[in-house]
């Protein structure tokens, strides 16, 4: 509603190819990995050219709640590994299978802005986006004072950038900027350099595994390509 865009699978449909989002909330709704496999195999069985984006929310969810090194996480990863290997064997020869992730995670430690009223008094609204890529909307009269105070408190743990520095520095990758991009990233954005995450209030912290910082664990993701 507020930031409309054309989804990638819709772009394929516009070009006369099949475009599918196979996920619990996609164009082809599935509720478990078995339904995902059956949908993929069904859509791969004819001669229509198709693009299929398939998403499953674990181990992401479990890593958020239990941390990255919980035994349940290892169990899920082993199960998915076997699942993908089996799927690859069943796919027709003309299907290219690519497996990747949208991010890594890290077990986090927290700092709380409420402990520094002088800093929070400089803000127009609640910080947003991510605890490890935190956007700040700052009062006009505090534009110079805010980065000095923030860096004195948290500069060891975060790289603080202006919105312009953030975008022009390539942190969002390439491509054309959405017209509303700057509405979403505030005046300053703080990127975590270590395990530290930001919460406004102590009571808000409820996750162990977090993402969106600049550590290797979060930024390095696999790309596995399988072709018969």
């Amino acid at each position: 509603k507020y930031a409309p865009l054309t989804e990638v699978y819709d772009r394929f449909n516009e070009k006369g190819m099949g475009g599918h989002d196979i996920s619990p909330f996609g164009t082809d709704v599935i509720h478990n990995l078995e339904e995902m496999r059956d949908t993929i195999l069904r859509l791969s069985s004819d001669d229509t050219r198709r693009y299929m984006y398939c998403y499953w929310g674990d181990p992401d969810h479990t890593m958020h709640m239990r941390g990255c090194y919980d035994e349940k996480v290892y169990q899920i990863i082993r199960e998915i590994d076997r699942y993908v290997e089996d799927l690859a064997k069943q796919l027709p020869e003309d299907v290219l299978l690519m497996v990747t992730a949208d991010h890594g995670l890290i077990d986090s430690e927290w700092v709380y802005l409420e402990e520094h009223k002088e800093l929070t008094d400089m803000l127009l609204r609640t910080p947003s986006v991510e605890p490890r890529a935190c956007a700040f909307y700052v009062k006009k009269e505090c534009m110079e004072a805010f980065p000095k105070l923030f860096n004195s408190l948290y500069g060891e743990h975060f790289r603080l950038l202006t919105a312009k520095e953030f975008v022009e520095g390539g942190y969002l990758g390439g491509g054309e900027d959405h017209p509303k991009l700057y509405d979403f990233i505030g005046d300053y954005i703080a990127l975590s350099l270590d395990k530290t995450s930001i919460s406004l209030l102590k009571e808000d912290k409820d996750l162990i595994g977090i993402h969106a910082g600049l550590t290797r664990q979060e930024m390095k993701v696999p790309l596995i390509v399988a072709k018969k």
Side-chain angles (χ1 to χ4, degrees):
K1 181 178 179 180
Y2 297 107
L5 55 83
T6 303
E7 299 284 4
V8 63
Y9 41 83
D10 290 330
R11 298 179 194 177
F12 279 96
N13 283 322
E14 290 173 357
K15 294 183 179 296
M17 296 172 58
H20 303 269
D21 175 0
I22 305 172
S23 69
F25 35 74
T27 58
D28 297 72
V29 176
I30 51 94
H31 303 92
N32 52 57
L33 289 173
E34 288 69 29
E35 289 183 6
M36 177 184 287
R37 177 197 60 215
D38 293 345
T39 302
I40 293 170
L41 294 176
R42 174 175 55 81
L43 292 173
S44 302
S45 63
D46 58 25
D47 294 330
T48 303
R49 295 185 68 197
R50 300 183 189 275
Y51 166 87
M52 289 176 272
Y53 167 79
C54 310
Y55 175 81
W56 189 245
D58 247 331
D60 176 82
H61 175 75
T62 302
M63 294 171 82
H64 277 307
M65 304 308 297
R66 298 193 179 200
C68 299
Y69 304 102
D70 188 88
E71 177 56 34
K72 180 67 173 178
V73 172
Y74 290 105
Q75 177 184 340
I76 292 170
I77 291 174
R78 287 191 291 265
E79 290 173 352
I80 291 178
D81 193 49
R82 289 190 292 266
Y83 170 88
V84 173
E85 182 177 6
D86 182 64
L87 173 64
K89 292 176 180 177
Q90 297 182 61
L91 288 171
E93 292 186 358
D94 61 350
V95 175
L96 176 67
L97 173 65
M98 294 183 287
V99 184
T100 189
D102 49 350
H103 56 73
L105 295 96
I106 190 171
D107 288 356
S108 188
E109 300 172 356
W110 292 85
V111 294
Y112 306 101
L113 299 180
E114 68 173 346
E115 296 177 346
H116 302 283
K117 188 175 184 301
E118 183 182 358
L119 187 71
T120 57
D121 283 347
M122 296 181 182
L123 302 178
L124 283 170
R125 49 160 290 184
T126 303
S128 62
V129 184
E130 292 274 359
R132 300 179 55 71
C134 193
F136 297 101
Y137 297 77
V138 179
K139 296 174 182 177
K140 289 184 179 180
E141 64 270 22
C142 301
M143 286 296 183
E144 293 186 10
F146 176 82
K148 294 178 182 178
L149 181 56
F150 181 90
N151 284 324
S152 71
L153 296 169
Y154 304 121
E156 178 183 354
H157 305 292
F158 290 89
R159 180 178 300 166
L160 186 68
L161 303 170
T162 65
K164 183 177 181 181
E165 289 171 337
F166 176 65
V167 175
E168 293 183 353
Y171 292 93
L172 296 178
E176 183 178 347
D177 294 344
H178 192 283
K180 291 185 176 292
L181 171 61
Y182 282 91
D183 294 347
F184 286 93
I185 59 176
D187 302 297
Y188 291 93
I189 191 157
L191 306 175
S192 183
L193 301 171
D194 53 26
K195 293 183 177 181
T196 312
S197 297
I198 291 176
S199 178
L200 179 61
L201 305 174
K202 291 182 179 180
E203 63 193 51
D204 291 340
K205 193 217 86 169
D206 61 351
L207 300 176
I208 301 175
I210 313 289
H211 50 67
L214 296 179
T215 67
R216 179 181 177 87
Q217 294 99 309
E218 296 160 280
M219 296 182 69
K220 298 287 283 187
V221 296
L223 174 61
I224 302 167
V225 181
K227 185 77 170 73
K228 290 187 180 178

